[in-house]
Amino acid sequence: MTPANAASPSVSDQPVVSGSSYFTSFEPGQPQPGYTDAVETGPDGKPRTDGVRGPTPTGVGGSEMDKVTKVTASGENTGGGEIATNAADGDKFTKWLVFAPTGWLVYQTSAPVVIKKYALTSANDADGRDPKNWTVSGSNDGTTWTTLDTQTNQNFENRFQTKEYSFANDTAYTYFKFDVTLNHGENIVQLADWYLSNGDPLPPPGPVAESRLDSGPTSAYNARARVGFTGVKSFRYAGHQDATGRGFTWNKISDVDLKVGKDTRLSYKIFPEHVEGDLSYPSTYAALDLAFDDGTYLSDLKAKDHHGFELSPRGQGDSKALYTNQWNNVEADLGTVAAGKTIKRILIGYDKPSGPADFRGWVDDVRIAAAINPDRAAQKTAAKHPSDLALTTRGSNATGGFSRGNNFPATAVPHGFNFWTPVTNAGSTSWLYDYAKGNNEANKPTMQALSISHEPSPWMGDRQTFQVMPSTADTPTADRKARAWSFSHDNEIARPYYYGVTFDNGNAAEIAPTDHAAMLRFSFPAGKASLVFDNVSNSGGLTLDPATGVVTGYSDIRSGLSTGAGRLFVYGVVDQKVLASGKLSNGGGANVGGYFMFDAKTTQVQLRIATSLIGTEQARKNLELELPAGSKFSKVKDAAQEEWDKKLSTIEVEGATADQLTSLYSNLYRLFLYPNNGSENTGTAAKPVISYASPTSPKVGTDTPTTTGSKIVAGQTYVNNGFWDTYRTVWPAYSLFSQDDAAALVNGFVQQYKDGGWISRWSSPGYANLMVGTSSDVAFADAYLKGIKGIDVQAMYDAAVKNASVVPPSQNVGRKGMDLSTFNGYTANTTGEGFSWSMDGYINDFGIANLSKALYDKAKKNDPRKQEYLDNYKYFLNRARNYVTLFDPAVGFFQGKDPSGVWGNSPSTFDPRDWGHDYTETNAWNMAFSTPQDGAGLAAIYGGRDGLAKKLDEFFSTPEDALHTGGYGGTIHEMLEGP
């Protein structure tokens, strides 16, 4: 919403920063803007604006939401990020949710305000969760309430619908309560937004574009509302382009007097807000600009940003490199184009070639200073230690509403048994680490624990966790908010082989990993050291032995999709004498909470800790095998770095920028982080015996506090992989970039077939019932056909044929709809997402066909299975061509059918932009070309190569608007991430 308070252009008396360096995030004590809504005057004496005026006010007039300082609720879905503050963030795509049929929200304001109107916006999911009856009350103490408005039998006919309610009131209050007394039938209450208004109307737009100091955006997917990127302030630009042709404006931010040297660089953060319905993304046609003493401007000098795009408002918009509704980093080398010049003013520019358009955004963290060229430094680092260019926090600025994949900052060894990670939400088994969204009132992240994790993805959820948090409290507590320490990402080192953070209070925590264990080092410069042990919930056990400094325990933490997850056992020992210990119940619970307290003069504590899925004694053995007494933190860290450097140096790049190298090695780190070792050495270092607690066979006993009830199986297994998500990407990459390990990875999943009778579709760690396709079939066939040596190809082949030909005993394994699909040639839409099951089935059949042909060619004449291989080659190749049965010429797209062959939609109801229904996380447009096994056949369907080219042109000219939610009934994150 555009604020309903306009200001006249003004100049403030701010000191002019001079010299050669400048930085501001617009916080108190830093350089402040010298102007409000002030247009730059060019060397010709004319204002540098045309076709642009002030923004058109929208939303609720008289908004008082900028005064809301605190939001509390009767409950919230913390783990899912559906928290109380979402109701006040002005973003309809986020929501507050409580697992109850009633619930309340309370807003606290910075000063008493008179509220005469409010507005409610419905959330994305089922309307049975919408409020139906409610009261709105005011209070000045948060205890005694005066009813201001009561509503009954209210309905929201549409998702994301805003309704306004007015009432008579002349009393100012500091607290306001929205109390839902009845919803529309579900055991959940949800609400996207609740706005407070003083009842004033929306004012007319101003004559020039706005440019002013502000708090920050409310529409951020992954950031706290009403704050900057750093701190709580930022600088806003906003306006309306009424010209149908070019519209532009350059507005002043600050006067400066800065010399540009040959090494001077510019950097800033920019948040272009998405204008709903305008897919030209007008807010991205913006950039910081610099006015020089010779009358020139940076935007005239053809400067390039660190991605190689022109650093001008027009150039940034044309590049389509800036994401809307999130903060973007922009950097540029000023010295190459402006060395010797003097910067006189810092500007914000907007320049779009066509209109009309609305635009709004924010800038923050403006820096102008001499700096070493990061590209040359990164290239030197890549040659020796590429692991130092891999940032484990890369992509972690993500939430369920807008994700960047499975990106929490895991420290581990390649394909390790455990992950070790900082967590900002110790009660979650999904989004463990919020880079910014969960920041505190000062816009700082707060850490609640360092944790063991086995999370394959936030949507699958975490399992088998165990948490440790340093403390200097006189009385240690497990209360998550009380024990949390704030920190800055500037004081965080997040690498694959090492994690370290120095908290704002001066204390520090570090992690160095091995396969089944890790060494944690905690520094307390002022002493008063304690360690708090805890877990996500009370599902576990903890035993503390202060005499020996040993901590043992077990964890039964598992998400709902952690199928087959067994009990995790831990064994750890500290290197300092424990003076006091005890249990704590105010965190995850009394079963899992406790602490060790050390001498008040102790300034450093090291914890060696190992895990096992077999038992406590095996955890102790794993510790001795990997981190025996006397292990040095630095050597553990160096050994882990050596492992990562070896993996990451698989790819060497010449001429890349620092940002490109960081992207490359951070992505390779994610590639080699998964899948994960599921086995342990039950023998000795000299005579290893590799075994595992099976996640795919039924339990053979009852778990005890020290031993598992899972079946112990000899062999090497791997876990944590969803093949539908990975068969097109990471598995071909393993065959190309990890040929020494690829066979072991394949065999580790084939072991599931030998053990439990099937290969997982989604291993988390066992047979999770999720996603479509048995895509290990094509992934593993591809590895074998690429020449990977050492694969147990016979077992792999048998597992794939079983997937493709046997009706599975449950929905957790094999292919769904097999009872009819073999005969119909497709999976009917009576099976959930049947169309997607069909299309992925054809691709997997193609893989089996080619594997069968390779085995036939290799088989000796007397091989009793030779004819079988040939028959299966022909059979599965023909099945792979059945995709043609799902092309509907009446609509020109692929779509599903019912068992009798009737199309799912008629031409009058079919819309290729609609998501869901029979399409898994996509729509007909995105499935229009999903036949990689037969490109020629696909072209023939569209009338030949020219017809296919025409269809592709139409596809690329049809932007995703995230409005055709189809079967999902609301926006899902894939719709936002896909454009």
PDB file of all heavy atoms in Angstrom, residues 13 31 67 106 123 142 244 404 410 528 577 595 614 672 727 885 935:
ATOM      1  N   ASP A  13      19.083  20.474   6.588  1.00  0.00           N
ATOM      2  CA  ASP A  13      20.442  20.965   6.830  1.00  0.00           C
ATOM      3  C   ASP A  13      21.300  19.825   7.342  1.00  0.00           C
ATOM      4  O   ASP A  13      21.455  19.626   8.544  1.00  0.00           O
ATOM      5  CB  ASP A  13      20.398  22.113   7.830  1.00  0.00           C
ATOM      6  CG  ASP A  13      21.765  22.765   7.996  1.00  0.00           C
ATOM      7  OD1 ASP A  13      22.619  22.561   7.115  1.00  0.00           O
ATOM      8  OD2 ASP A  13      21.962  23.478   9.001  1.00  0.00           O
ATOM      9  N   PRO A  31      25.240   9.294   7.992  1.00  0.00           N
ATOM     10  CA  PRO A  31      24.784  10.354   7.095  1.00  0.00           C
ATOM     11  C   PRO A  31      23.312  10.189   6.731  1.00  0.00           C
ATOM     12  O   PRO A  31      22.866   9.100   6.377  1.00  0.00           O
ATOM     13  CB  PRO A  31      25.693  10.189   5.867  1.00  0.00           C
ATOM     14  CG  PRO A  31      26.944   9.572   6.415  1.00  0.00           C
ATOM     15  CD  PRO A  31      26.485   8.651   7.513  1.00  0.00           C
ATOM     16  N   LYS A  67       2.676   3.100  12.977  1.00  0.00           N
ATOM     17  CA  LYS A  67       2.835   3.253  14.418  1.00  0.00           C
ATOM     18  C   LYS A  67       2.764   1.923  15.166  1.00  0.00           C
ATOM     19  O   LYS A  67       2.979   1.892  16.383  1.00  0.00           O
ATOM     20  CB  LYS A  67       1.774   4.215  14.962  1.00  0.00           C
ATOM     21  CG  LYS A  67       1.896   5.646  14.441  1.00  0.00           C
ATOM     22  CD  LYS A  67       0.855   6.548  15.082  1.00  0.00           C
ATOM     23  CE  LYS A  67       1.014   7.991  14.627  1.00  0.00           C
ATOM     24  NZ  LYS A  67       0.717   8.168  13.205  1.00  0.00           N
ATOM     25  N   VAL A 106      -3.261  -8.820  18.794  1.00  0.00           N
ATOM     26  CA  VAL A 106      -3.176  -7.542  19.495  1.00  0.00           C
ATOM     27  C   VAL A 106      -2.055  -6.716  18.869  1.00  0.00           C
ATOM     28  O   VAL A 106      -0.927  -7.190  18.721  1.00  0.00           O
ATOM     29  CB  VAL A 106      -2.923  -7.729  21.002  1.00  0.00           C
ATOM     30  CG1 VAL A 106      -2.598  -6.392  21.663  1.00  0.00           C
ATOM     31  CG2 VAL A 106      -4.140  -8.356  21.671  1.00  0.00           C
ATOM     32  N   ALA A 123      -6.756 -14.657   3.522  1.00  0.00           N
ATOM     33  CA  ALA A 123      -5.506 -15.345   3.178  1.00  0.00           C
ATOM     34  C   ALA A 123      -5.729 -16.338   2.035  1.00  0.00           C
ATOM     35  O   ALA A 123      -6.832 -16.476   1.497  1.00  0.00           O
ATOM     36  CB  ALA A 123      -4.951 -16.041   4.402  1.00  0.00           C
ATOM     37  N   GLY A 142      -3.601  -2.797  27.828  1.00  0.00           N
ATOM     38  CA  GLY A 142      -3.500  -4.160  27.331  1.00  0.00           C
ATOM     39  C   GLY A 142      -4.276  -5.157  28.153  1.00  0.00           C
ATOM     40  O   GLY A 142      -4.204  -6.362  27.879  1.00  0.00           O
ATOM     41  N   THR A 244       2.572   7.767 -21.767  1.00  0.00           N
ATOM     42  CA  THR A 244       2.525   6.475 -22.453  1.00  0.00           C
ATOM     43  C   THR A 244       3.884   6.132 -23.044  1.00  0.00           C
ATOM     44  O   THR A 244       4.203   4.962 -23.232  1.00  0.00           O
ATOM     45  CB  THR A 244       1.471   6.503 -23.574  1.00  0.00           C
ATOM     46  OG1 THR A 244       1.758   7.588 -24.450  1.00  0.00           O
ATOM     47  CG2 THR A 244       0.078   6.669 -22.994  1.00  0.00           C
ATOM     48  N   ARG A 404      14.532 -20.451  -2.154  1.00  0.00           N
ATOM     49  CA  ARG A 404      15.640 -20.606  -3.085  1.00  0.00           C
ATOM     50  C   ARG A 404      16.173 -22.037  -2.972  1.00  0.00           C
ATOM     51  O   ARG A 404      17.362 -22.269  -2.933  1.00  0.00           O
ATOM     52  CB  ARG A 404      16.733 -19.583  -2.778  1.00  0.00           C
ATOM     53  CG  ARG A 404      16.309 -18.174  -3.133  1.00  0.00           C
ATOM     54  CD  ARG A 404      17.362 -17.158  -2.749  1.00  0.00           C
ATOM     55  NE  ARG A 404      17.085 -15.868  -3.371  1.00  0.00           N
ATOM     56  CZ  ARG A 404      16.270 -14.952  -2.867  1.00  0.00           C
ATOM     57  NH1 ARG A 404      15.641 -15.182  -1.722  1.00  0.00           N
ATOM     58  NH2 ARG A 404      16.057 -13.817  -3.477  1.00  0.00           N
ATOM     59  N   ALA A 410      24.295 -25.528   6.227  1.00  0.00           N
ATOM     60  CA  ALA A 410      24.799 -26.786   6.776  1.00  0.00           C
ATOM     61  C   ALA A 410      26.318 -26.856   6.674  1.00  0.00           C
ATOM     62  O   ALA A 410      26.889 -26.657   5.595  1.00  0.00           O
ATOM     63  CB  ALA A 410      24.168 -27.966   6.047  1.00  0.00           C
ATOM     64  N   LYS A 528      31.900 -16.821  32.745  1.00  0.00           N
ATOM     65  CA  LYS A 528      30.508 -17.194  33.071  1.00  0.00           C
ATOM     66  C   LYS A 528      29.950 -18.180  32.040  1.00  0.00           C
ATOM     67  O   LYS A 528      28.809 -18.069  31.583  1.00  0.00           O
ATOM     68  CB  LYS A 528      29.615 -15.964  33.164  1.00  0.00           C
ATOM     69  CG  LYS A 528      29.995 -14.994  34.273  1.00  0.00           C
ATOM     70  CD  LYS A 528      29.048 -13.813  34.342  1.00  0.00           C
ATOM     71  CE  LYS A 528      27.653 -14.257  34.714  1.00  0.00           C
ATOM     72  NZ  LYS A 528      26.718 -13.109  34.859  1.00  0.00           N
ATOM     73  N   LYS A 577      36.103 -28.686  33.275  1.00  0.00           N
ATOM     74  CA  LYS A 577      35.441 -29.246  34.441  1.00  0.00           C
ATOM     75  C   LYS A 577      34.069 -28.615  34.620  1.00  0.00           C
ATOM     76  O   LYS A 577      33.898 -27.403  34.573  1.00  0.00           O
ATOM     77  CB  LYS A 577      36.282 -28.998  35.694  1.00  0.00           C
ATOM     78  CG  LYS A 577      35.688 -29.614  36.957  1.00  0.00           C
ATOM     79  CD  LYS A 577      36.583 -29.358  38.166  1.00  0.00           C
ATOM     80  CE  LYS A 577      35.964 -29.976  39.417  1.00  0.00           C
ATOM     81  NZ  LYS A 577      36.814 -29.736  40.627  1.00  0.00           N
ATOM     82  N   TYR A 595      21.727 -28.484  31.256  1.00  0.00           N
ATOM     83  CA  TYR A 595      22.865 -27.581  31.094  1.00  0.00           C
ATOM     84  C   TYR A 595      24.086 -28.096  31.840  1.00  0.00           C
ATOM     85  O   TYR A 595      23.986 -28.872  32.787  1.00  0.00           O
ATOM     86  CB  TYR A 595      22.521 -26.180  31.601  1.00  0.00           C
ATOM     87  CG  TYR A 595      22.370 -26.086  33.111  1.00  0.00           C
ATOM     88  CD1 TYR A 595      23.459 -25.743  33.928  1.00  0.00           C
ATOM     89  CD2 TYR A 595      21.150 -26.352  33.728  1.00  0.00           C
ATOM     90  CE1 TYR A 595      23.329 -25.675  35.313  1.00  0.00           C
ATOM     91  CE2 TYR A 595      21.011 -26.283  35.105  1.00  0.00           C
ATOM     92  CZ  TYR A 595      22.104 -25.942  35.890  1.00  0.00           C
ATOM     93  OH  TYR A 595      21.983 -25.884  37.258  1.00  0.00           O
ATOM     94  N   ILE A 614      22.450 -46.469  15.615  1.00  0.00           N
ATOM     95  CA  ILE A 614      22.480 -47.841  16.144  1.00  0.00           C
ATOM     96  C   ILE A 614      22.358 -47.839  17.660  1.00  0.00           C
ATOM     97  O   ILE A 614      21.581 -48.620  18.227  1.00  0.00           O
ATOM     98  CB  ILE A 614      23.771 -48.554  15.688  1.00  0.00           C
ATOM     99  CG1 ILE A 614      23.761 -48.715  14.157  1.00  0.00           C
ATOM    100  CG2 ILE A 614      23.913 -49.901  16.383  1.00  0.00           C
ATOM    101  CD1 ILE A 614      25.039 -49.273  13.581  1.00  0.00           C
ATOM    102  N   PHE A 672      27.260 -31.624  -3.625  1.00  0.00           N
ATOM    103  CA  PHE A 672      28.020 -32.668  -2.932  1.00  0.00           C
ATOM    104  C   PHE A 672      27.632 -32.809  -1.458  1.00  0.00           C
ATOM    105  O   PHE A 672      28.143 -33.693  -0.773  1.00  0.00           O
ATOM    106  CB  PHE A 672      29.515 -32.386  -3.051  1.00  0.00           C
ATOM    107  CG  PHE A 672      30.021 -32.434  -4.469  1.00  0.00           C
ATOM    108  CD1 PHE A 672      30.798 -31.399  -4.981  1.00  0.00           C
ATOM    109  CD2 PHE A 672      29.723 -33.500  -5.297  1.00  0.00           C
ATOM    110  CE1 PHE A 672      31.263 -31.429  -6.277  1.00  0.00           C
ATOM    111  CE2 PHE A 672      30.180 -33.542  -6.607  1.00  0.00           C
ATOM    112  CZ  PHE A 672      30.952 -32.508  -7.101  1.00  0.00           C
ATOM    113  N   TYR A 727      16.405 -35.962 -10.753  1.00  0.00           N
ATOM    114  CA  TYR A 727      16.864 -36.830 -11.852  1.00  0.00           C
ATOM    115  C   TYR A 727      17.318 -36.042 -13.066  1.00  0.00           C
ATOM    116  O   TYR A 727      18.162 -36.508 -13.835  1.00  0.00           O
ATOM    117  CB  TYR A 727      15.788 -37.851 -12.228  1.00  0.00           C
ATOM    118  CG  TYR A 727      14.665 -37.366 -13.114  1.00  0.00           C
ATOM    119  CD1 TYR A 727      14.781 -37.402 -14.517  1.00  0.00           C
ATOM    120  CD2 TYR A 727      13.463 -36.918 -12.582  1.00  0.00           C
ATOM    121  CE1 TYR A 727      13.745 -36.992 -15.328  1.00  0.00           C
ATOM    122  CE2 TYR A 727      12.424 -36.511 -13.390  1.00  0.00           C
ATOM    123  CZ  TYR A 727      12.561 -36.544 -14.764  1.00  0.00           C
ATOM    124  OH  TYR A 727      11.526 -36.142 -15.574  1.00  0.00           O
ATOM    125  N   THR A 885      -0.737 -40.203 -26.444  1.00  0.00           N
ATOM    126  CA  THR A 885      -2.137 -40.435 -26.083  1.00  0.00           C
ATOM    127  C   THR A 885      -2.693 -39.317 -25.210  1.00  0.00           C
ATOM    128  O   THR A 885      -3.912 -39.232 -25.023  1.00  0.00           O
ATOM    129  CB  THR A 885      -2.296 -41.775 -25.340  1.00  0.00           C
ATOM    130  OG1 THR A 885      -1.613 -41.698 -24.074  1.00  0.00           O
ATOM    131  CG2 THR A 885      -1.734 -42.932 -26.146  1.00  0.00           C
ATOM    132  N   GLY A 935      12.184 -35.924 -29.141  1.00  0.00           N
ATOM    133  CA  GLY A 935      12.064 -34.578 -29.670  1.00  0.00           C
ATOM    134  C   GLY A 935      11.411 -34.538 -31.029  1.00  0.00           C
ATOM    135  O   GLY A 935      10.593 -33.649 -31.310  1.00  0.00           O
TER     136      GLY A 935
END
